[in-house]
Amino acid sequence: MTGILVAALWCFTTAARADEVVYDVKVTLNWSEDTALSPPDDAHWSRLIAFAHSGRYTLFRDGDTASSGLALVATNGRVTVLEAEVAEAARRGRAAAPVILPGTDAGRGTFEFTLALSEKHDQVSFATMLAPSPDWFSGVSNISLKTPEGWRENLSVPLWVWDAGADSGQTYSGPNLPTQPRQSIRLLTHPAFLQADGLRPIGRAVFSRVSP
């Protein structure tokens, strides 16, 4: 069953601040036989956390070590620590308040929300856990919606599965085996996600400008 989850964070009866640009974001995820071999019967997605930020903040990057907040999202779907990390970034002027959406009850699911960006916070990041899994997640990091010519009208990006480097488990529902020290974040090349034509995206994120 496809879950449709909507977070309405913008009231269109109220005028946007002069420096804000509002985007509708649609995140479609598909953890099924279409994208992976033998997904678990209870495949689903954890809560999704998304936020706008400046280029001085990075949620994740290939080769980096996951923060405690991202590691907890990836290993058990908890967003509270990452939410606190974003709040600290906001205190430093590097991020805006996050959007947090409920998870899905199936491997196929859609998250929809609106996000206000600004000249100061012109990039978007989000993450959600593939559950159950050792420490696998999907999301985007440092997606810029501003170009030298101005704000993008639309942007569509593929979503991949990432290994957070925080758990050494090899099965979907095995016990937690914390990796000490943590390994680097990397694109997941687990055999379950390697098809004959290579890695396939697990989903897609579409950003559509709605205001002003």
Side-chain angles (χ1 to χ4, degrees), residues 77-152:
R78 285 177 52 194
V79 301
T80 51
V81 175
L82 181 54
E83 184 180 9
E85 290 176 357
V86 175
E88 175 59 20
R91 189 185 69 80
R92 296 170 179 262
R94 299 177 181 177
V99 179
I100 299 175
L101 289 85
T104 74
D105 58 2
R108 297 175 187 264
T110 301
F111 298 90
E112 295 184 59
F113 54 97
T114 58
L115 208 59
L117 282 73
S118 66
E119 294 287 342
K120 185 176 182 180
H121 300 137
D122 63 343
Q123 299 182 20
V124 177
S125 295
F126 65 77
T128 175
M129 175 194 182
L130 286 78
S133 74
D135 60 345
W136 303 341
F137 70 97
S138 188
V140 298
S141 184
N142 295 88
I143 294 294
S144 179
L145 294 170
K146 183 76 180 295
T147 72
E149 292 74 35
W151 293 96
R152 297 178 186 270

Side-chain angles (χ1 to χ4, degrees), residues 3-184:
I4 305 292
L5 305 168
V6 180
L9 296 186
W10 185 261
C11 179
F12 287 98
T13 60
T14 303
R17 284 196 345 230
D19 65 337
E20 286 187 338
V21 179
V22 180
Y23 283 84
D24 281 342
V25 186
K26 184 175 183 179
V27 179
T28 304
L29 295 161
N30 178 19
W31 187 11
S32 70
E33 292 285 355
D34 296 336
T35 54
L37 300 175
S38 303
D41 293 337
D42 57 346
H44 59 285
W45 296 88
S46 76
R47 289 194 290 173
L48 179 144
I49 179 169
F51 53 98
H53 57 90
S54 73
R56 299 179 66 192
Y57 184 97
T58 298
L59 178 58
F60 66 89
R61 183 165 45 207
D62 187 29
D64 283 0
T65 301
S67 69
S68 296
L70 181 62
L72 283 171
V73 170
T75 54
N76 61 28
R78 285 177 52 194
V79 301
T80 51
V81 175
L82 181 54
E83 184 180 9
E85 290 176 357
V86 175
E88 175 59 20
R91 189 185 69 80
R92 296 170 179 262
R94 299 177 181 177
V99 179
I100 299 175
L101 289 85
T104 74
D105 58 2
R108 297 175 187 264
T110 301
F111 298 90
E112 295 184 59
F113 54 97
T114 58
L115 208 59
L117 282 73
S118 66
E119 294 287 342
K120 185 176 182 180
H121 300 137
D122 63 343
Q123 299 182 20
V124 177
S125 295
F126 65 77
T128 175
M129 175 194 182
L130 286 78
S133 74
D135 60 345
W136 303 341
F137 70 97
S138 188
V140 298
S141 184
N142 295 88
I143 294 294
S144 179
L145 294 170
K146 183 76 180 295
T147 72
E149 292 74 35
W151 293 96
R152 297 178 186 270
E153 291 297 326
N154 298 280
L155 180 66
S156 177
V157 297
L159 301 176
W160 306 92
V161 183
W162 294 85
D163 186 322
D167 192 300
S168 298
Q170 296 297 313
T171 62
Y172 290 130
S173 56
N176 288 335
L177 298 172
T179 302
Q180 296 294 341
R182 287 182 193 148
Q183 298 179 353
S184 60

